[in-house]
Amino acid sequence: MIAYATRRILLMVPTLFLIMVVNFVIVQAAPGGPVEQMIAKLRGSAVAATARVTGNGDIRAPTGEAHYRGARGLDPAFIAELRKQFGFDKPPLARFVLMMRNYLTFNLGTSFFQDRKVIDLIEDKLPVSISIGLWTTLFTYLVSIPLGIRKAVRDGSRFDIWSSAVVIVGYAVPSFLFAVLLIVLFAGGSYLQIFPLRGLISDNWASLPWPDKIADYFWHITLPIAALVIGGFATLTMLTKNCFLDEINKQYVLTARAKGLTERRVLYGHVFRNAMLLVVASFPAAFVSILFSGSLLIEVIFSLDGLGLLGFDAAINRDYPIMFGTLYVFTLIGLVLKLISDLTYMLIDPRIDFGTRGG
């Protein structure tokens, strides 16, 4: 296990590097960088934000067919100072090398437009995203495991058929559409106004007694967590069902039944322990999936001040230090949790040895 973990840790370095390279190249090719954003703000022109600054301080249209004189009237020296302030006085390769060198010591730079260190912003927002991810994963397991077990025990029954229809809908419809539906139904959209629409806590949260603080927190996260659970329980439910069906048909189950054990004893005394190995070991991977793929849009929709909303705002404003800083942290967390997932599987079931499969 130690050798396998070591190989995986060493493999994280080129994987992380390649991801950063690809995203850096894509961002450099996209129009509307931070210099263009600043010029657009100075001139009050939305068009300038989608153009590209040329070497002489002019702005070239993204299509390249003609010069757009969006910077006319601005001192070329001022444009050059802007480029230097944002680090664009250096070639792209030099900027990337400097960025990765700083990232090795978790020096993620300073936000272009918020005047704060990126690492401080991430530390402020990360607890919100982790909180959403943990609660969503927990409730997803609480729903999916009992449902998957019941579907396996009653395989082929009416319950299995209609619940499969629910699972298919949950798998096909993304979480953000469920979020919109919940807002319309329960957050004052068109019908009831039971839950708040925005934020993680109320404005007067600090002055509330601690029981009310807890209640207020859960009151605010009910709809976001519900949307993520509804949109994410399908895969885990089918995984649980298939694991139980696979174990139920094995010889040791037939032997236990032949000895006269009750169905409940067979199911929860023998089958449950073996069938849950894969489900429990997949917890870190499920958390990563919920945290990275689902919570971003949910944070935007419900205005939750987490990493997803931070990264979204950074992309809109072309705040490159935040964009690359959050990408670096997200990717690193994902790689580490994927390793933990594999190691957890090996610890739960010693028969599994990824090392013998070439890592």
Side-chain angles (χ1 to χ4, degrees):
M1 181 184 294
I2 296 178
Y4 170 74
T6 302
R7 288 199 300 271
R8 285 290 300 274
I9 292 173
L10 293 177
L11 186 61
M12 288 181 188
V13 177
T15 302
L16 182 61
F17 179 79
L18 182 60
I19 291 174
M20 297 301 296
V21 168
V22 171
N23 283 272
F24 184 85
V25 172
I26 293 174
V27 169
Q28 298 307 306
V35 176
E36 294 90 326
Q37 291 281 335
M38 183 60 69
I39 292 176
K41 290 180 180 179
L42 291 174
R43 298 190 58 84
S45 170
V47 178
T50 61
R52 186 173 298 280
V53 176
T54 63
N56 60 5
D58 294 336
I59 300 183
R60 184 183 297 274
T63 57
E65 67 252 52
H67 284 281
Y68 174 72
R69 310 294 292 184
R72 181 172 294 173
L74 295 178
D75 188 354
F78 173 72
I79 302 297
E81 183 62 28
L82 271 182
R83 293 175 60 84
K84 182 177 181 180
Q85 176 183 342
F86 291 118
F88 286 89
D89 57 327
K90 303 180 181 67
L93 179 59
R95 297 201 308 270
F96 179 77
V97 171
L98 178 62
M99 180 183 72
M100 294 306 300
R101 185 184 302 165
N102 291 332
Y103 280 11
L104 292 176
T105 59
F106 280 89
N107 177 13
L108 305 182
T110 302
S111 168
F112 285 158
F113 303 109
Q114 298 192 42
D115 196 27
R116 290 187 62 190
K117 291 184 177 180
V118 175
I119 191 66
D120 294 337
L121 290 170
I122 292 177
E123 288 178 356
D124 289 345
K125 315 299 183 183
L126 188 60
V128 176
S129 297
I130 291 179
S131 173
I132 295 172
L134 286 176
W135 283 117
T136 302
T137 307
L138 175 62
F139 283 110
T140 300
Y141 269 71
L142 290 177
V143 171
S144 300
I145 292 176
L147 180 59
I149 294 174
R150 188 170 179 82
K151 284 175 64 62
V153 173
R154 303 184 61 179
D155 184 40
S157 66
R158 288 185 178 181
F159 173 81
D160 183 43
I161 294 173
W162 71 257
S163 60
S164 294
V166 175
V167 168
I168 291 173
V169 172
Y171 183 80
V173 181
S175 298
F176 71 89
L177 288 183
F178 282 119
V180 174
L181 177 62
L182 292 175
I183 289 173
V184 171
L185 294 177
F186 303 112
S190 298
Y191 297 94
L192 303 175
Q193 190 169 3
I194 301 175
F195 298 99
L197 176 60
R198 303 169 61 87
L200 194 64
I201 54 176
S202 299
D203 294 336
N204 63 335
W205 186 83
S207 62
L208 297 175
W210 69 265
D212 292 342
K213 286 183 177 180
I214 296 175
D216 182 79
Y217 168 73
F218 282 106
W219 182 49
H220 278 77
I221 69 170
T222 297
L223 292 188
I225 300 303
L228 287 170
V229 171
I230 294 173
F233 81 100
T235 301
L236 186 59
T237 298
M238 296 309 299
L239 175 63
T240 303
K241 176 188 176 181
N242 292 333
C243 288
F244 269 78
L245 285 177
D246 184 56
E247 293 295 324
I248 287 174
N249 295 323
K250 289 186 176 178
Q251 183 63 41
Y252 76 90
V253 177
L254 300 177
T255 302
R257 287 171 175 166
K259 290 180 178 180
L261 296 179
T262 63
E263 192 66 22
R264 185 178 182 85
R265 178 71 181 275
V266 171
L267 183 62
Y268 291 100
H270 295 77
V271 176
F272 185 84
R273 180 179 58 184
N274 294 325
M276 289 303 294
L277 290 176
L278 182 60
V279 177
V280 173
S282 64
F283 182 89
F287 174 73
V288 171
S289 176
I290 293 170
L291 183 64
F292 294 163
S293 62
S295 64
L296 189 152
L297 286 176
I298 297 299
E299 288 183 17
V300 174
I301 292 173
F302 290 99
S303 298
L304 301 175
D305 200 13
L307 280 180
L309 186 58
L310 177 67
F312 176 79
D313 289 339
I316 295 298
N317 296 320
R318 301 299 194 272
D319 200 336
Y320 289 169
I322 295 181
M323 290 173 59
F324 289 115
T326 53
L327 173 67
Y328 181 80
V329 172
F330 266 137
T331 305
L332 189 59
I333 292 176
L335 292 172
V336 171
L337 289 182
K338 185 63 175 67
L339 173 61
I340 293 175
S341 177
D342 290 344
L343 295 180
T344 302
Y345 200 179
M346 295 170 65
L347 288 173
I348 293 177
D349 189 354
R351 296 171 298 177
I352 302 297
D353 187 5
F354 292 112
T356 60
R357 304 181 184 182

